[in-house]
Structure formats: C-alpha cells, structure tokens
Amino acid sequence: MTEFSKKARRPPRSPLPTFATRFQAAALRVSTAFLESSSFQHALTKGEEREKTIAKFFKQNLPTTFQVSGGSAIDANGTESPQLDAMIFDGSRSIPIYDGDAVILPAEAILVSIEVKSKVASEELRRSIRAAENLKSLLPFKREVIRGGRDGTSRADQCRFFHVLFAYESDLVDDTDLSKEHKRLKEAIEAEGAGADAVDRLYIAKKGLVNAADSYGIREHEGTANALMALSMDTLNFTLRENRNRKDVPYQQYSGTMGLDIERYK
C-alpha cells in the first residue's frame, strides 16, 4: 500500500493463493480484451467492448442476485443522472423503469456506478468528477445522498453511492509513481468544487488503485492483480453492506396511480 498521508494503517495481508490466481486470470482477460478492441476502427465500438469487459468482470465477482448494466438513474422528482457505463443493483429487489439496451434505474436501486475510460487524462478526469457529482445530487427516498464515512446515524431511507472510475491506462509518463495520480485526482476534485468522495476509487490497469478521500493508494505489482483484487473487494463489501441497509424501492412514487380512475368503497 502506498501512503499519501500520515494516517496509520494496518499492513496488508497476502491473499489466499486461490484468490490471487483468480484475479491474475481476471486481469489477463481485461488486458486481452483491451488489446483486442484496440484494433477496432470505430471509436464507439471500442468503447462498448471495453465497457462490456468491465461489466462482465464485476458481475462475475458478485453474488448472482446482483445485476450489472449500463444506463442511468432517475429520482422521483424526475432528475436523471448522466449516462453510466455500468450500474450494480440487486435484481431480486429492483427492476429497471426501462429495460432496453441501456436501463433506467430508480435512484433507490443503484448501489455502485462505474465509468470506463481507455485513458485517464486531466480533462477526462474533470468530466468524470462532474458526472459523479451529478449522480450523487439525486434524491433517493427524497433525501440527499450520504457523503463521507459512516457515522452510525444513517437510516434505511438514506443512500450511499459508490462511484468507480476504471481506466485502462494513464497519460502520465511516469507509470510507477501512483502519488502523481492521487495528486492530479485531488486537484481535479478541488477545481470542480466537488466532494473528496466524488470518485470513491480510481483504478488504472497495471498501475494501481487510488482512494482520494482517505489519501492512499495500492500499487499494482506486475503479474499479481493485487490492486484489482482490492477494488473488487471494496466494491463487494460496499454492495453487500449498502444493499442490506436499504429500504425497498418506493415504485409507487414513480408510477403514481398511472392515470387510473380509482373508486374507493366503504
């Protein structure tokens, strides 16, 4: 673990061999899919293939009840989030409002959002932060999204969103100094006037993972996929915990009476 602050942290433990092997194979599949898609001439096709690869990776590393789909989220006030490359939600508790090539989810259903970039650069980073802030400005259960760490006072009708920015590579020349990625992310967050948790995790393939809010990073060691494993575990833990704490989606707030002429009897 690379430290960007003076906070004391427990030394990381080595993963079980089975876990390590699994994520090494997953990292290889992600990298291979990127290289294969690089030969595509049409930019949209490249992007779609890379997004599918990431969505598939997260779906394979979550319990089967969870679904992963691209689309957007909307709250009961009609405010819609930007288009998201992947959203994680519990398919046994939630259904999309629209289920086509890209779904629309009630804001109360979305747990994790993922944006996929071929290459992270300063301007792309700022656009991603703006999109993340727009997402976190939604009002699930007509309440503001909780920002920052858990304080034990949250309610079942208060939501947290976990936003991941997944990049296949970075435009920074030095590909070993993860602190530069952290510094740039923090500067972009400040420039946009966003919260420190606008992007909960920045992952750059083969380089590492950055957590801006807690000011630490995990460098990816060649051939290990250790940072990818950390990202997957962070996502899994958040998904399970947040899903367990939430109330059911209030679908009646979205449908109303659907224009029906309802008669009430004594």
Side-chain angles (χ1 to χ4, degrees):
M1 183 179 291
T2 302
E3 293 290 349
F4 303 133
S5 70
K6 295 182 180 179
K7 294 179 183 178
R9 294 185 179 277
R10 281 187 246 171
R13 293 179 297 176
S14 298
L16 296 174
T18 302
F19 264 67
T21 301
R22 178 179 179 181
F23 279 87
Q24 287 164 13
L28 179 60
R29 287 196 297 272
V30 169
S31 300
T32 300
F34 171 76
L35 293 173
E36 289 176 348
S37 68
S38 295
S39 63
F40 293 172
Q41 296 301 311
H42 196 285
L44 180 60
T45 303
K46 287 183 184 180
E48 288 174 347
E49 288 302 312
R50 293 167 188 175
E51 290 159 15
K52 287 178 183 177
T53 299
I54 302 308
K56 183 178 180 181
F57 167 77
F58 280 97
K59 185 172 177 57
Q60 288 176 336
N61 290 286
L62 288 167
T64 55
T65 183
F66 294 103
Q67 301 296 312
V68 184
S69 179
S72 60
I74 189 170
D75 64 22
N77 295 325
T79 304
E80 189 171 351
S81 77
Q83 193 75 8
L84 300 164
D85 296 325
M87 302 181 293
I88 297 174
F89 62 99
D90 186 343
S92 70
R93 298 180 61 193
S94 308
I95 58 172
I97 295 173
Y98 171 74
D99 190 0
D101 293 334
V103 306
I104 299 176
L105 284 178
E108 295 83 1
I110 184 172
L111 299 164
V112 176
S113 54
I114 304 163
E115 185 173 7
V116 182
K117 297 291 183 186
S118 294
K119 179 181 289 187
V120 64
S122 295
E123 190 52 41
E124 286 289 319
L125 201 53
R126 292 188 63 169
R127 277 196 290 268
S128 296
I129 290 166
R130 290 196 293 271
E133 280 292 305
N134 287 339
L135 169 66
K136 293 185 178 185
S137 71
L138 296 181
L139 298 174
F141 300 110
K142 297 186 177 182
R143 299 175 66 90
E144 291 186 354
V145 171
I146 297 175
R147 307 293 293 266
R150 289 177 292 164
D151 59 9
T153 62
S154 62
R155 304 168 11 161
D157 61 352
Q158 289 180 294
C159 297
R160 287 181 174 83
F161 294 155
F162 190 80
H163 187 72
V164 176
L165 178 55
F166 189 110
Y168 281 96
E169 57 182 326
S170 169
D171 71 338
L172 292 181
V173 176
D174 188 344
D175 61 358
T176 61
D177 190 351
L178 201 58
S179 67
K180 291 182 179 179
E181 298 290 354
H182 171 261
K183 181 175 183 290
R184 178 164 70 170
L185 177 57
K186 292 280 281 188
E187 289 174 347
I189 287 172
E190 290 171 5
E192 291 298 325
D197 63 341
V199 174
D200 293 280
R201 298 291 186 275
L202 166 63
Y203 174 78
I204 303 170
K206 299 183 180 179
K207 188 168 187 177
L209 177 72
V210 172
N211 180 331
D214 290 340
S215 295
Y216 74 84
I218 300 174
R219 186 174 294 118
E220 190 115 88
H221 301 299
E222 186 175 358
T224 66
N226 59 299
L228 182 62
M229 186 188 306
L231 173 64
S232 183
M233 291 301 100
D234 286 348
T235 304
L236 173 63
N237 288 335
F238 177 90
T239 301
L240 293 175
R241 183 179 66 246
E242 180 67 15
N243 188 56
R244 183 173 59 246
N245 291 341
R246 279 198 199 171
K247 288 174 59 177
D248 291 336
V249 177
Y251 281 101
Q252 72 280 3
Q253 291 182 6
Y254 292 87
S255 63
T257 59
M258 300 180 68
L260 299 178
D261 185 10
I262 298 176
E263 298 180 4
R264 300 194 182 278
Y265 307 109
K266 293 182 180 180

